[in-house]
Amino acid sequence: MHEMSITLSMLDIVKEHMARHGVERLRQVRVRIGEMSAVEPESLRFCFEASIKDTPLDGAVLEIEEVPLTGRCRECGREFRIEGYLSRCPACSSLSIDHVAGHELDIISMEGEQFDA
Ligand SMILES: [Zn+2]
């Protein structure tokens, strides 16, 4: 289950960020997961909750934003949702397509309570 190693490295980033900003209680973490990132949202949520249980982060909420695979046509510039493996521009039928979204695996934001502000 590679979601566990993703969760642990995500929590490392979160903890480092909290330490740097003097945040002692984490309320929420928002992540963006592309359709092609091979991360199962429910599995990520499970790992997150298991990893923070009985730690200072316990009670934090994981918000997951799922990003569909999106392509841009190199011929006409049209952006569209890619479904299935054959991606063809719906406007000009070109097969020359770049992926512009759908591979993300990012922390977008985190919210916490700051005690030394
Ligand atoms: Zn096109």
Side-chain angles (χ1 to χ4, degrees):
M1 187 155 57
H2 75 143
E3 279 84 357
M4 187 49 98
S5 58
I6 290 166
T7 301
L8 295 177
S9 52
M10 187 172 92
L11 287 174
D12 280 346
I13 296 170
V14 167
K15 284 181 209 157
E16 193 196 305
H17 187 84
M18 287 172 72
R20 202 183 317 140
H21 295 274
V23 176
E24 296 182 18
R25 236 190 122 68
L26 184 67
R27 242 189 245 143
Q28 189 198 75
V29 184
R30 285 183 69 87
V31 294
R32 187 178 281 144
I33 295 173
E35 190 178 7
M36 295 303 283
S37 66
V39 174
E40 200 53 59
E42 279 326 299
S43 176
L44 188 67
R45 188 181 302 286
F46 175 83
C47 293
F48 180 84
E49 281 165 11
S51 307
I52 63 172
K53 196 165 169 27
D54 300 323
T55 77
L57 302 184
D58 203 347
V61 175
L62 181 67
E63 290 274 335
I64 299 175
E65 185 182 307
E66 294 178 61
V67 183
L69 182 59
T70 304
R72 184 191 291 124
C73 175
R74 284 187 201 155
E75 304 298 329
C76 72
R78 167 87 167 254
E79 286 195 11
F80 60 97
R81 164 96 163 91
I82 296 176
E83 272 164 304
Y85 286 96
L86 179 66
S87 39
R88 183 188 288 272
C89 174
C92 73
S93 297
S94 168
L95 288 168
S96 188
I97 305 298
D98 287 320
H99 290 179
V100 292
H103 295 269
E104 297 82 349
L105 184 52
D106 302 316
I107 297 174
I108 314 167
S109 68
M110 34 191 124
E111 262 176 53
E113 283 165 36
Q114 214 159 334
F115 289 102
D116 64 349

